[in-house]
Amino acid sequence: MGLAWAAWLLLPALLHRALSHPQCLDFKPPFRPPHALTFCVQYKDFGCCDSSRDREIMETFYRVLGHVDEAGYQLCAAHVQDILCQECSPYAAHLYDAEDPSTPVRSLAGLCEDYCADVWKKCRSLFRYMTSDKELLALEGNAAKFCRRLALDDADYCFPRLLVNTKLNQNLGLVTADSEGCLQLCLEEVANGLQNPVAMVHANDGTHRFFVAEQVGLVWTYLPDRSRLEKPFLNISQAVLTSPWEGDERGFLGIVFHPNFKHNGKVYVYYSVEIGFDEIIRISEFRLSAHDMNAVDHGSERIILEVEEPASNHNGGELLFGDDGYLYIFIGDGGMAGDPFGKFGNAQNKSTLLGKVLRIDVNHNNHGPLYRIPPDNPFVDDPSARPEIYAYGVRNMWRCSFDRGDPQTKEGKGRLFCGDVGQNKFEEVDIVEKGKNYGWRAREGFSCYDKKLCANSSLGDVLPIFAYPHKLGKSVTGGYVYRGCEYPNLNGLYIFGDFMSGRLMALKEDQNTGEWQYHEICMGMGQTCMFPGLINNYYQYIISFAEDEAGELYFMSTGIPSATSPTGVVYKIIDASRRAPPGKCRFHPIPVKTKSATVPFVPKEKLIIKTTPTKRPKVKTTSKPSGRTKVTASPPVNPTPDWVEQLLKLLESPGDNQRTTTARPSTRRPPKPKKSGKSNERRGHRKKSKAQSGADSKATSTELQNGAVRLADSRRSDRGQVEIYINGEWGTVCDDLWNTKAASVVCRQLGFQYVIKAAKQAEFGEGRNLRILLDDLECTGKEKTLLDCKHKGIGKHNCNHQEDAGVICSHTEYSQS
């Protein structure tokens, strides 16, 4: 337990708890024992002990009771058993004070004082055999002092009162939900500093590596210990067409490993290129390097398929291999508003690949055609249709996944889930089946979009399993059905999100009715996520979801939706209410031979302690379809409380000195106009802050008051180097004692409610043309200006401009970078 305790001490000091939560002495959630307990039977269904630990506790019991006669055994056995078995309680960490990092772990569980007094009266001589706590044993002769020391501060949560506490036990072992039914999950940071991570995949080769693709065209290898290789797995950044503009949907969009990758080394990618003045979707095949198992041979690229894009948006971007061994490709409708191409739009036109789900056979393609048409594709016999088409009538499917199926029954295996981004009103989730029409542009969600086309459309159109209005989010990001081992409560939940609103959501199928019930996902409040290494906040823009080789679930998001912004983070989804039994989910990765240096993973995000959830405004329900098909999911009524966006400094694009494959023209045109369509729905623009950035730099001394501040050399109004106006001149502030209290004074002056970061070491530049006016600032955070804080004196300092202070402010209470 020493290592876990050391890790726990690394967390910041936490507020004193007001309510206990399930947690074991190993600082992990409780579990259902895989084998029946024979001694601590009260925790046989759910607790913190497996059968091995149960036997060890039983041995301790007999060793303690060996010090009494038969009468003492009859009098004390039940008490000793109860006390020792509290290590198996789902609230063991609370009972032993392991939740509080400021106190040592108790050697005996916390007892209610009345119960303790009764045990002391009957069996006090046995305490010396159950604990080595000398300070406690020194009080053995005084029942009141002894039991007061053994008691817990929270009188309602001591043993045995905890057993009848309905607040704690009525939902024990279930996913925690707040008063409005929002499922409270937690996160674990897995990777950070990524440039718009659009995909995370594994090779299914037993190594348990994962590969993260950035929109700029770089793919990075991460080892099971979460370190990253310095050399990229793939670098086609020179060939990929994208830009730093927020909301540009072009770029490197998808990657998948061949099911037989372990033997054939084939990888398939989906990316945007520019040829002349045409923008092209390209699907290419690469082979693994013969000299490095963590890099592709960039000279091995073979272009499998290219599709011309009439606009810069709606590029699709997903690649998947199904259980049938075929490659599935998901392509958007070509962009612009309302699919305006031709009489009925690209999505309804089976002679084009735009607005379709394709299925092709890339197996055994070393000789002959690069791909073949699967013989059971639905339109192979239709001379007016492209034979590659598997399903049609889709708008811009962004992130799809195959269900692995229930771990025991395999129910659901092979179902294909997709999030299809909507136009003006609704986002939808579909289950894609062969030959089916998903309704666009006749339908958007459950409602008609093109009323004339909708009225005349086929009765066979497939309606979504779920749709939600734009009051909840404006760009769905499809996810996965959880089928991992570690969190049994999540099994069968389809977890997905929304790119623009940052909302996490889940659907659960009712096995009796076949309908999909909606659950919103919130970040755990209060103590829900108070476990070592867990956090409860994330960047707002949810780009993609992923499974690792073991089936655990992740998502990627960013603070700034730009291909070159290094604010991307990968998060693992955690259920802190229940875990699998210890040892059940262990895997043994095949060793990975590395030729590149590794970069150790250093987490940056922190847990945010909140005691009460933010009230979520009510939202009207989605429209329901008329007639043909019933709605299979109730639309959400509450948005997510307080999703978190963490902001980092926007860095320049990386250099172009790495090896590339396909040449690209040197012109860097902005995205094609999207006309009146819904633009930027997948990687959309942030709204600019309305806060003023401080006084105008040309203002005279008659217009300014002493203590006025501004943010200099900043491209955004909410961050920058702090400059202060004192006695007729502007100057900088040194960061010797610069902290969030001082930064909050500046943010408040500029019209922001919250401070996100007190930036040091000239993070936002050096004001070398100005004098340093303030140093050694000590603020309470309530001052009107920095001049009201304690400081060294105007113009007095012992620092230089390399220590100029800065701030990141916000109108929303985000987490700190």
Side-chain angles (χ1 to χ4, degrees):
M1 189 169 65
L3 289 176
W5 177 245
W8 185 233
L9 289 175
L10 293 176
L11 294 177
L14 302 174
L15 299 177
H16 184 74
R17 61 191 180 280
L19 183 68
S20 179
H21 72 302
Q23 185 173 335
C24 303
L25 290 179
D26 61 358
F27 308 106
K28 294 180 181 179
F31 55 89
R32 184 182 300 278
H35 304 290
L37 306 185
T38 58
F39 185 68
C40 299
V41 292
Q42 63 268 51
Y43 302 114
K44 63 183 177 64
D45 294 324
F46 193 68
C48 292
C49 292
D50 56 15
S51 55
S52 174
R53 185 59 190 149
D54 182 57
R55 285 193 299 270
E56 292 172 357
I57 293 173
M58 183 171 62
E59 291 170 2
T60 301
F61 166 82
Y62 284 117
R63 186 168 60 250
V64 171
L65 269 298
H67 296 278
V68 296
D69 57 18
E70 185 175 347
Y73 187 98
Q74 294 294 329
L75 191 64
C76 300
H79 291 311
V80 173
Q81 181 178 16
D82 280 343
I83 293 171
L84 292 178
C85 283
Q86 292 319 296
E87 184 179 334
C88 301
S89 167
Y91 297 100
H94 178 82
L95 290 166
Y96 287 83
D97 258 355
E99 287 180 319
D100 190 343
S102 66
T103 61
V105 177
R106 295 167 175 256
S107 57
L108 285 178
L111 305 179
C112 300
E113 290 194 53
D114 54 348
Y115 175 78
C116 175
D118 183 49
V119 177
W120 182 89
K121 184 177 180 181
K122 299 176 184 176
C123 316
R124 75 174 188 179
S125 64
L126 291 180
F127 280 112
R128 71 190 66 177
Y129 305 112
M130 290 191 285
T131 178
S132 58
D133 184 343
K134 294 180 180 179
E135 294 183 5
L136 176 64
L137 293 175
L139 304 173
E140 184 186 340
N142 187 313
K145 291 183 178 180
F146 182 86
C147 290
R148 227 178 353 257
R149 182 175 179 85
L150 205 52
L152 293 174
D153 292 335
D154 300 329
D156 290 334
Y157 306 115
C158 55
F159 178 81
R161 203 168 297 155
L162 173 143
L163 295 177
V164 294
N165 189 321
T166 55
K167 287 184 180 179
L168 292 179
N169 297 303
Q170 62 183 354
N171 294 314
L172 185 62
L174 302 178
V175 179
T176 304
D178 68 11
S179 60
E180 296 181 348
C182 195
L183 303 180
Q184 296 191 46
L185 299 180
C186 306
L187 303 174
E188 183 180 359
E189 185 183 358
V190 172
N192 52 39
L194 291 156
Q195 299 180 94
N196 237 40
V198 294
M200 170 181 154
V201 295
H202 61 85
N204 199 33
D205 60 355
T207 63
H208 288 265
R209 294 171 291 173
F210 61 89
F211 302 84
V212 178
E214 297 177 320
Q215 188 180 351
V216 292
L218 291 164
V219 180
W220 301 99
T221 305
Y222 287 82
L223 303 179
D225 65 0
R226 296 184 180 170
S227 62
R228 177 178 65 82
L229 298 188
E230 280 189 348
K231 179 184 176 182
F233 177 76
L234 175 68
N235 179 5
I236 55 173
S237 56
Q238 284 295 297
V240 169
L241 173 63
T242 190
S243 74
W245 291 294
E246 293 186 10
D248 192 348
E249 296 182 21
R250 305 166 302 176
F252 189 102
L253 303 178
I255 179 172
V256 68
F257 286 72
H258 193 282
N260 199 30
F261 169 79
K262 190 172 182 178
H263 302 288
N264 65 23
K266 291 183 177 182
V267 183
Y268 296 84
V269 298
Y270 186 128
Y271 63 100
S272 305
V273 295
E274 186 178 48
I275 300 176
F277 290 101
D278 295 325
E279 294 182 6
I280 304 293
I281 289 170
R282 176 177 290 171
I283 289 86
S284 286
E285 174 190 277
F286 287 87
R287 284 180 178 271
L288 192 65
S289 168
H291 309 290
D292 187 351
M293 68 179 296
N294 295 298
V296 301
D297 176 358
H298 288 77
S300 68
E301 180 176 12
R302 295 199 301 168
I303 298 172
I304 300 295
L305 181 66
E306 289 187 334
V307 181
E308 185 176 348
E309 270 284 336
S312 63
N313 58 344
H314 300 190
N315 299 299
E318 186 72 83
L319 292 175
L320 296 173
F321 275 98
D323 291 338
D324 53 17
Y326 297 136
L327 178 63
Y328 290 72
I329 305 168
F330 302 79
I331 300 180
D333 66 6
M336 300 191 188
D339 194 5
F341 306 98
K343 187 175 181 180
F344 302 116
N346 284 328
Q348 293 298 321
N349 179 5
K350 292 195 285 290
S351 67
T352 177
L353 300 182
L354 295 167
K356 308 297 188 303
V357 178
L358 312 182
R359 183 174 72 159
I360 62 175
D361 182 358
V362 292
N363 298 297
H364 313 295
N365 67 349
N366 295 337
H367 305 286
L370 292 169
Y371 71 87
R372 295 175 175 84
I373 303 300
D376 63 336
N377 266 15
F379 304 109
V380 291
D381 297 325
D382 185 346
S384 64
R386 290 290 298 262
E388 295 93 341
I389 296 173
Y390 180 78
Y392 65 107
V394 305
R395 185 175 180 272
N396 189 33
M397 285 185 163
W398 180 246
R399 292 314 178 228
C400 302
S401 63
F402 281 103
D403 185 356
R404 293 188 179 202
D406 183 273
Q408 277 73 48
T409 67
K410 299 304 177 183
E411 186 173 355
K413 182 175 174 60
R415 291 182 301 185
L416 177 54
F417 289 80
C418 286
D420 198 3
V421 178
Q423 178 69 46
N424 297 322
K425 293 182 178 180
F426 299 103
E427 306 297 308
E428 68 181 68
V429 176
D430 298 297
I431 294 181
V432 176
E433 297 177 344
K434 183 171 67 174
K436 296 300 178 69
N437 181 359
Y438 288 83
W440 177 249
R441 77 184 184 216
R443 291 184 177 274
E444 178 188 12
F446 293 121
S447 68
C448 288
Y449 176 78
D450 183 327
K451 293 183 179 180
K452 184 176 180 180
L453 187 59
C454 186
N456 296 325
S457 62
S458 166
L459 294 177
D461 287 359
V462 178
L463 294 174
I465 62 169
F466 179 69
Y468 61 93
H470 280 186
K471 288 185 178 180
L472 294 184
K474 296 183 178 180
S475 183
V476 65
T477 300
Y480 283 79
V481 177
Y482 179 84
R483 300 298 189 184
C485 171
E486 295 179 13
Y487 305 108
N489 283 338
L490 303 184
N491 182 40
L493 275 183
Y494 176 72
I495 296 177
F496 65 108
D498 187 275
F499 175 80
M500 291 299 292
S501 70
R503 188 168 280 103
L504 287 170
M505 299 169 275
L507 300 175
K508 177 73 172 180
E509 186 177 19
D510 186 318
Q511 296 298 326
N512 296 320
T513 65
E515 296 182 353
W516 292 83
Q517 303 300 326
Y518 173 83
H519 298 277
E520 190 166 355
I521 295 175
C522 310
M523 291 295 95
M525 311 299 259
Q527 289 197 325
T528 305
C529 299
M530 285 175 57
F531 291 81
L534 299 194
I535 58 174
N536 58 353
N537 57 95
Y538 57 91
Y539 285 105
Q540 173 182 340
Y541 297 101
I542 300 173
I543 305 172
S544 191
F545 286 79
E547 278 183 327
D548 65 15
E549 195 165 346
E552 299 307 321
L553 190 57
Y554 303 75
F555 72 90
M556 289 142 277
S557 67
T558 185
I560 301 172
S562 162
T564 57
S565 172
T567 57
V569 179
V570 179
Y571 304 94
K572 183 178 181 181
I573 294 176
I574 306 292
D575 172 22
S577 64
R578 178 187 173 193
R579 60 169 157 152
K584 180 180 180 181
C585 303
R586 289 178 184 170
F587 55 83
H588 303 284
I590 295 173
V592 176
K593 296 179 180 179
T594 60
K595 294 189 175 182
S596 168
T598 58
V599 180
F601 170 62
V602 179
K604 296 180 180 179
E605 313 305 317
K606 305 295 182 184
L607 180 74
I608 297 177
I609 302 300
K610 292 185 180 180
T611 56
T612 56
T614 304
K615 187 70 175 177
R616 300 192 297 277
K618 300 292 183 181
V619 179
K620 292 182 180 179
T621 62
T622 58
S623 300
K624 296 185 178 181
S626 56
R628 303 193 289 226
T629 306
K630 63 182 177 180
V631 183
T632 60
S634 300
V637 294
N638 301 308
T640 303
D642 225 17
W643 48 85
V644 181
E645 178 192 32
Q646 299 185 327
L647 306 178
L648 296 174
K649 185 179 180 182
L650 189 62
L651 301 180
E652 302 257 339
S653 300
D656 294 330
N657 57 353
Q658 292 175 293
R659 185 177 178 187
T660 61
T661 56
T662 310
R664 186 177 75 184
S666 59
T667 56
R668 300 285 292 185
R669 296 186 293 115
K672 293 179 182 178
K674 300 180 177 69
K675 299 193 176 179
S676 59
K678 172 192 167 189
S679 64
N680 308 309
E681 63 248 308
R682 178 156 46 78
R683 286 181 286 278
H685 289 284
R686 291 178 52 111
K687 292 182 179 178
K688 294 183 179 179
S689 169
K690 295 180 180 179
Q692 295 180 351
S693 60
D696 186 88
S697 60
K698 296 181 181 180
T700 65
S701 59
T702 59
E703 299 172 295
L704 295 173
Q705 299 292 322
N706 270 355
V709 290
R710 68 185 183 189
L711 302 184
D713 299 323
S714 173
R715 288 169 286 179
R716 299 176 57 164
S717 62
D718 60 351
R719 65 194 65 196
Q721 169 203 312
V722 173
E723 294 182 0
I724 187 167
Y725 183 85
I726 304 175
N727 297 335
E729 71 171 316
W730 285 100
T732 65
V733 180
C734 202
D735 71 15
D736 276 1
L737 297 177
W738 187 249
N739 58 26
T740 54
K741 291 181 179 179
S744 67
V745 176
V746 173
C747 290
R748 192 167 58 251
Q749 282 183 264
L750 299 176
F752 293 93
Q753 187 176 359
Y754 297 102
V755 58
I756 299 303
K757 185 175 184 180
K760 298 185 177 184
Q761 303 297 319
E763 180 178 332
F764 293 106
E766 301 176 19
R768 291 186 175 275
N769 59 329
L770 302 175
R771 199 158 64 101
I772 298 174
L773 294 184
L774 292 180
D775 189 14
D776 291 345
L777 279 165
E778 295 182 52
C779 304
T780 66
K782 298 181 180 180
E783 294 86 352
K784 290 184 178 180
T785 75
L786 295 178
L787 279 175
D788 298 323
C789 302
K790 183 180 177 181
H791 53 81
K792 196 177 187 72
I794 297 171
K796 296 181 180 180
H797 62 87
N798 60 356
C799 57
N800 57 50
H801 284 297
Q802 293 178 347
E803 297 173 86
D804 279 345
V807 294
I808 300 177
C809 306
S810 177
H811 295 295
T812 309
E813 189 178 5
Y814 300 132
S815 69
Q816 290 191 3
S817 300

